[in-house]
């Protein structure tokens, strides 16, 4: 009996190692809760994408580190929770506290390799504005009609 219990315990430990959520599952948490998002300036944040309320990188903004399926509902841990969890502009200025979805006019991409793609629809769908690595872009296709964002390569 003791040997059988040991085998079962070992199997549970091994299964747990394979079932541990990946870091990717916490991207909603990072985008929502990390100090990189709202407590650090765009210049000092390690997050490489910033969405601005106004054109020409003015007004309130938010640093974003990971692709966002839906700016109006960036879920912490990926699991459904009661209500929606929108990403909001911060850092003061015009638009402070407003949701990013359908309110962004410009973006900055500090990434050295990836394009920052801002999509018209949630789920990385529809028309899009592509921002080259290390660039700033006034949104044209998705200005005030932005719903999601993803890192892309060509």
């Amino acid at each position: 009996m003791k040997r059988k219990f040991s085998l079962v315990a070992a199997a549970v430990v091994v299964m747990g190692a394979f079932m541990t959520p990946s870091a990717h599952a916490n991207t909603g948490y990072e985008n929502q809760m990390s100090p990189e998002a709202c407590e650090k300036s765009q210049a000092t944040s390690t997050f490489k994408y910033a969405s601005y309320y106004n054109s020409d990188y003015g007004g309130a903004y938010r640093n974003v580190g990971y692709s966002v399926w839906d700016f109006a509902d960036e879920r912490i841990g990926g699991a459904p929770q009661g209500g929606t969890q929108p990403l909001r502009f911060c850092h003061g200025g015009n638009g402070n506290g407003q949701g990013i979805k359908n309110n962004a006019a410009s973006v900055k991409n500090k990434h050295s390799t990836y394009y920052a793609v801002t999509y018209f629809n949630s789920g990385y769908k529809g028309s899009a504005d592509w921002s080259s690595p290390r660039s700033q872009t006034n949104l044209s296709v998705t200005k005030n009609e932005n719903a999601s964002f993803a890192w892309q390569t060509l």
Side-chain angles (χ1 to χ4, degrees), residues 23-78:
H24 184 71
N26 287 327
T27 60
Y29 178 82
E30 290 295 317
N31 282 336
Q32 284 280 15
M33 308 302 287
S34 174
E36 300 294 326
C38 286
E39 294 175 27
K40 291 191 176 182
S41 72
Q42 211 280 314
T44 62
S45 175
T46 60
F47 284 178
K48 305 290 186 197
Y49 175 85
S51 184
Y52 287 78
Y53 185 78
N54 289 46
S55 296
D56 299 320
Y57 331 104
Y61 66 93
R62 184 184 193 98
N63 300 313
V64 179
Y66 302 92
S67 296
V68 177
W69 180 263
D70 183 353
F71 280 123
D73 195 12
E74 177 69 332
R75 294 173 183 219
I76 298 171

Side-chain angles (χ1 to χ4, degrees), residues 3-122:
R3 180 166 155 52
K4 186 176 180 181
F5 178 76
S6 297
L7 289 174
V8 170
V12 169
V13 168
V14 170
M15 285 175 50
F18 288 107
M19 295 175 69
T20 302
S22 68
H24 184 71
N26 287 327
T27 60
Y29 178 82
E30 290 295 317
N31 282 336
Q32 284 280 15
M33 308 302 287
S34 174
E36 300 294 326
C38 286
E39 294 175 27
K40 291 191 176 182
S41 72
Q42 211 280 314
T44 62
S45 175
T46 60
F47 284 178
K48 305 290 186 197
Y49 175 85
S51 184
Y52 287 78
Y53 185 78
N54 289 46
S55 296
D56 299 320
Y57 331 104
Y61 66 93
R62 184 184 193 98
N63 300 313
V64 179
Y66 302 92
S67 296
V68 177
W69 180 263
D70 183 353
F71 280 123
D73 195 12
E74 177 69 332
R75 294 173 183 219
I76 298 171
Q81 293 117 17
T84 58
Q85 298 175 2
L87 285 182
R88 299 185 184 281
F89 290 108
C90 43
H91 293 285
N94 291 337
N96 191 46
Q98 295 291 317
I100 293 174
K101 187 171 186 174
N102 297 330
N103 283 318
S106 58
V107 299
K108 287 185 180 179
N109 177 6
K110 294 191 316 182
H111 207 288
S112 62
T113 308
Y114 294 103
Y115 287 80
V117 185
T118 306
Y119 292 91
F120 187 87
N121 295 324
S122 298

